[in-house]
Amino acid sequence: DDPFYHYWLGDLLIELKRDEDALASLRAAIELSPGDDHLYVKAAVVFWRLGKRAEAIKSVRLASDLDASKLFYHGLLEKMLREAGHHEEADLELPKVAQMDGFDRDTVRSYAEEAGLFGT
């Protein structure tokens, strides 16, 4: 009944490329802790890897809604939207992306690589 253990297992399963199982663990963690923005961005990584682009984008948006102070969510969202062909929506994220610092850019790169996004 602890969301951390579901998250931890999900993260391990992501590394093992067992995406369906990872998603199940992350969903369990989200159910137990629906206000944890980090869980949604990790789920977005798995959704993207599974080819569920709309779900990945929605998940990053939910993470951003939960913690609007994390600019890297906008950077990751911009990459996902652009890769999915939603260039006008991606352009709307550019003002926030421009505010990102080096740490934010590294974080976006890390999530994008984990998700298998092109042009990371």
Side-chain angles (χ1 to χ4, degrees):
D1 293 337
D2 188 330
F4 171 76
Y5 294 114
H6 290 285
Y7 159 75
W8 181 80
L9 179 58
D11 198 41
L12 177 62
L13 291 166
I14 288 170
E15 287 184 39
L16 296 173
K17 309 266 190 257
R18 293 180 47 194
D19 294 332
E20 292 289 346
D21 294 329
L23 189 55
S25 291
L26 291 169
R27 282 182 169 154
I30 289 169
E31 189 173 309
L32 292 168
S33 185
D36 187 338
D37 55 294
H38 182 71
L39 298 174
Y40 289 92
V41 78
K42 290 303 281 193
V45 166
V46 179
F47 280 130
W48 192 269
R49 285 171 33 162
L50 290 170
K52 298 178 179 185
R53 305 300 192 237
E55 291 90 339
I57 290 167
K58 180 179 178 183
S59 194
V60 174
R61 282 190 169 135
L62 286 169
S64 179
D65 289 347
L66 288 168
D67 191 345
S69 70
K70 293 181 180 170
L71 294 175
F72 69 85
Y73 289 151
H74 295 279
L76 184 60
L77 180 58
E78 187 269 337
K79 281 189 168 300
M80 286 183 169
L81 287 166
R82 201 160 304 283
E83 187 67 28
H86 305 290
H87 298 286
E88 289 178 13
E89 286 182 72
D91 289 344
L92 295 175
E93 300 300 324
L94 291 177
K96 297 273 186 170
V97 170
Q99 297 175 32
M100 292 190 322
D101 61 19
F103 176 79
D104 291 327
R105 292 184 192 287
D106 287 344
T107 303
V108 169
R109 189 175 308 110
S110 176
Y111 280 118
E113 286 174 0
E114 188 173 38
L117 278 159
F118 301 110
T120 54

